[in-house]
Amino acid sequence: MTNAARKIIIDTDPGQDDAVAILLALASPDDIDVLGITAVAGNVPLALTAKNARIVCELAGKRNVPVFAGADRPLIRTLRTAEHVHGDSGLNGPALPDPTMPLQDMHAVDFIIHTLRREAPGTVTLCPLGPLTNIALALEKAPDIAARIAHIVLMGGAYFEVGNITPAAEFNIYVDPEAARTVFACGAPITVMPLDVTHKALTTRTRVDAFRDMGTPVGRAVAEWTDFFERFDKQKYASPGAPLHDPCVIAWLIKPELFKGRHINVEIECESDLTRGMTVADWWGVTDRTPNATFMGDVDADGFFALLTERIARL
Ligand SMILES: [Ca+2]
């Protein structure tokens, strides 16, 4: 870790693609200082996401990263999970041992608040990779932290690609739209990796084999996770591979030049039964609503996978 390393908190619901994102961060200590990992209910229930986060830390040989359990359900809605994509454990694919490192005693929401108050203002970046429940709860409990957040870089939403869990909504936003609304209104700088980007970061046989051919436990696990969840997207989209959604967030922290987007207004639909959880992104600037997020639209996929492969090989 160097002085230049950006301090982050990863808020996550692992999930195979979350796992790859965590590995990318842990493999990049010169760029990224992971202060802690906070688990939230999402792809699978909280007990599993809190366990999976620790499985990934141990796989990376980073048992010293503190992991905190957070919200076990959305702010007001019933939890919707995604075992149909990720398998019943959330990390189906390789057989990995149960973690022996403990969960921290503190609640994830309190860790987020405590860390933002402890560190100098504008030095801690939040990286939400799942439903935004923990972040919204922290903002509601401690409104003073909003001005102390350096940046929120999140995976969620969609505009041109529309929905993956309903015709209109992306999963992370759909699961807890009220939390997303709170986060998008909080005033901190926000960068969004929507499906418009992640659907351009597709695994291919060559890209997955590059992980497998590392011949390391981490490389094999990444290849086997990808093999597992590819089957779902290949069938759904008839695409050559599956999107690696969450690693886009961490890749942006390391190499922002891989991504292109627009600083625009993004609002969250919370009411309509048809479009609940939609990220209403004013990409074309047709309203006078104030821009509140940089909404990414494109990624250099070859550059993204080159970075991912180079870093994962370090673990
Ligand atoms: Ca996730």
Side-chain angles (χ1 to χ4, degrees):
M1 185 192 330
T2 67
N3 287 335
R6 187 195 297 250
K7 294 174 182 174
I8 72 167
I9 296 172
I10 300 176
D11 188 73
T12 178
D13 62 336
Q16 291 91 349
D17 62 314
D18 301 73
V20 178
I22 293 167
L23 291 173
L24 176 60
L26 295 178
S28 306
D30 288 343
D31 301 290
I32 293 171
D33 178 6
V34 182
L35 300 178
I37 297 176
T38 51
V40 66
N43 287 326
V44 287
L46 179 68
L48 288 170
T49 62
K51 175 182 169 185
N52 292 345
R54 288 175 290 148
I55 289 176
V56 176
C57 290
E58 292 194 1
L59 174 67
K62 309 276 185 184
R63 299 173 49 88
N64 56 334
V65 177
V67 177
F68 303 82
D72 65 359
R73 73 195 75 166
L75 296 182
I76 62 172
R77 299 185 186 276
T78 304
L79 177 63
R80 171 88 180 257
T81 53
E83 286 89 351
H84 62 293
V85 182
H86 300 278
D88 56 0
S89 84
L91 281 187
N92 286 39
L96 295 169
D98 280 351
T100 57
M101 62 186 273
L103 268 178
Q104 302 293 310
D105 285 336
M106 191 183 280
H107 192 282
V109 170
D110 292 322
F111 172 73
I112 292 167
I113 294 169
H114 171 76
T115 304
L116 284 162
R117 286 178 174 166
R118 179 192 68 205
E119 300 289 334
T123 62
V124 176
T125 293
L126 305 181
C127 299
L129 309 178
L132 290 156
T133 318
N134 284 344
I135 312 300
L137 285 169
L139 287 163
E140 287 173 5
K141 189 173 178 182
D144 59 288
I145 64 172
R148 302 179 71 88
I149 298 169
H151 208 126
I152 299 172
V153 189
L154 67 92
M155 190 277 138
Y159 181 67
F160 294 99
E161 287 283 311
V162 290
N164 64 353
I165 189 71
T166 75
E170 178 278 331
F171 177 81
N172 287 346
I173 308 294
Y174 178 80
V175 169
D176 200 344
E178 286 77 17
R181 185 166 58 184
T182 295
V183 170
F184 276 81
C186 80
I190 297 177
T191 292
V192 183
M193 293 294 169
L195 298 181
D196 308 325
V197 167
T198 66
H199 282 180
K200 293 171 181 151
L202 295 179
T203 58
T204 62
R205 196 40 39 202
T206 310
R207 288 167 176 170
V208 176
D209 284 343
F211 296 122
R212 202 183 323 271
D213 292 345
M214 289 171 191
T216 62
V218 173
R220 272 194 301 278
V222 171
E224 288 173 24
W225 280 327
T226 310
D227 284 340
F228 181 84
F229 74 77
E230 262 190 3
R231 84 214 183 290
F232 173 77
D233 282 283
K234 279 179 168 171
Q235 184 183 25
K236 179 176 172 186
Y237 295 109
S239 61
L244 270 180
H245 304 285
D246 294 340
C248 289
V249 165
I250 307 298
W252 183 84
L253 299 177
I254 303 170
K255 279 200 164 186
E257 64 272 21
L258 293 173
F259 300 89
K260 285 203 193 88
R262 294 184 181 182
H263 190 59
I264 59 172
N265 176 268
V266 180
E267 303 291 338
I268 310 298
E269 173 59 53
C270 293
E271 317 304 330
S272 158
D273 283 340
L274 268 178
T275 60
R276 183 184 311 133
M278 186 174 187
T279 43
V280 181
D282 190 7
W283 185 263
W284 301 112
V286 295
T287 76
D288 56 7
R289 293 194 287 260
T290 307
N292 59 345
T294 300
F295 199 84
M296 292 300 175
D298 204 1
V299 57
D300 168 1
D302 286 333
F304 169 76
F305 277 94
L307 173 69
L308 200 51
T309 305
E310 182 244 324
R311 295 299 167 100
I312 295 296
R314 297 181 184 183
L315 291 173

